[in-house]
């Protein structure tokens, strides 16, 4: 597709998205699904392959929340590719997993000659407890004192936008 890019093409093949499993896609990659479930038991139910054609630029944007981190497993086509997260520029290498905070402003350029493929798995932020992770959805107005939301409000936690205020342990753009 062309949404999110001002040049080139960016497309994804979803395995999981918002608690929905794409059965046909998962059936094509059983070892990948096993790895996701074993390595990332607290995955965010958002995992996909991302393909970026040569000459592409993904425009700067921010993820919706700092309650999750984004794990990247670069697979191929990485020559000439770079990712900026906050003030950090990363040039991923095939097979070298890295994790970054998707809520930071980020953009990507691919000036290489081969299509870049990355497996992306979103995981719950490690500072969130299992109880906080299990809490699902925004509270009704009368439930605004729910412990999870109280915790968030006390820390000025921001669930949207590019500049979350919360300082989770040693917050860095790329880990």
């Amino acid at each position: 597709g062309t949404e999110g890019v001002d040049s080139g093409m960016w497309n994804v093949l979803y395995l999981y998205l918002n608690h929905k499993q794409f059965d046909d896609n998962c059936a094509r990659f059983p070892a990948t699904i096993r790895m996701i479930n074993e390595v990332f038991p607290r995955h965010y139910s958002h995992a996909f392959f991302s393909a970026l054609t040569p000459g592409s630029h993904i425009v700067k944007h921010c993820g919706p929340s700092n309650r999750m981190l984004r794990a990247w497993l670069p697979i191929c086509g990485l020559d000439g590719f770079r990712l900026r997260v906050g003030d950090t520029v990363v040039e991923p290498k095939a097979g070298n997993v890295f994790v970054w905070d998707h809520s930071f402003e980020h953009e990507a350029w691919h000036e290489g000659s081969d299509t870049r493929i990355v497996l992306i798995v979103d995981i719950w932020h490690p500072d969130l407890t299992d109880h906080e992770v299990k809490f699902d959805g925004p509270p009704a107005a009368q439930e605004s004192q729910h412990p999870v939301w109280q915790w968030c409000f006390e820390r000025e936690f921001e669930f949207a936008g590019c500049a979350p205020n919360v300082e989770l342990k040693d917050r860095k753009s790329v880990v």
Side-chain angles (χ1 to χ4, degrees):
T2 57
E3 188 174 318
V5 295
D6 59 11
S7 62
M9 293 182 63
W10 177 26
N11 211 336
V12 299
L13 180 102
Y14 283 109
L15 302 169
Y16 299 101
L17 176 63
N18 300 328
H19 306 288
K20 177 182 178 5
Q21 179 173 313
F22 289 77
D23 293 330
D24 290 344
N25 294 344
C26 290
R28 294 171 60 192
F29 302 98
T32 300
I33 298 304
R34 275 193 309 278
M35 182 275 301
I36 289 170
N37 292 324
E38 289 173 13
V39 174
F40 303 109
R42 284 177 31 131
H43 70 84
Y44 197 77
S45 194
H46 193 213
F48 56 96
F49 291 100
S50 170
L52 191 66
T53 62
S56 293
H57 172 238
I58 299 174
V59 297
K60 63 183 177 180
H61 63 286
C62 301
S65 169
N66 66 354
R67 64 185 166 184
M68 63 91 167
L69 299 176
R70 179 151 280 184
W72 266 37
L73 174 57
I75 298 171
C76 63
L78 295 148
D79 289 338
F81 175 79
R82 65 189 191 284
L83 170 71
R84 179 187 61 81
V85 181
D87 294 329
T88 303
V89 175
V90 180
E91 294 183 19
K93 303 294 178 216
N96 292 340
V97 176
F98 67 100
V99 177
W100 53 285
D101 187 330
H102 188 243
S103 70
F104 280 73
E105 182 182 88
H106 54 282
E107 66 183 315
W109 301 264
H110 187 24
E111 298 163 347
S113 57
D114 297 318
T115 297
R116 184 234 46 184
I117 308 289
V118 175
L119 173 64
I120 297 173
V121 180
D122 291 340
I123 57 176
W124 287 100
H125 197 290
D127 286 353
L128 296 175
T129 67
D130 288 339
H131 178 72
E132 291 163 336
V133 166
K134 286 181 184 178
F135 183 74
D136 189 25
Q142 68 272 18
E143 297 174 342
S144 64
Q145 295 305 309
H146 187 283
V148 173
W149 288 97
Q150 188 61 42
W151 178 88
C152 295
F153 294 141
E154 287 170 3
R155 289 163 181 78
E156 298 179 11
F157 198 70
E158 185 173 305
F159 283 101
C162 293
N165 298 352
V166 68
E167 288 299 320
L168 297 172
K169 292 180 190 172
D170 300 321
R171 187 169 144 82
K172 297 177 184 169
S173 58
V174 179
V175 182

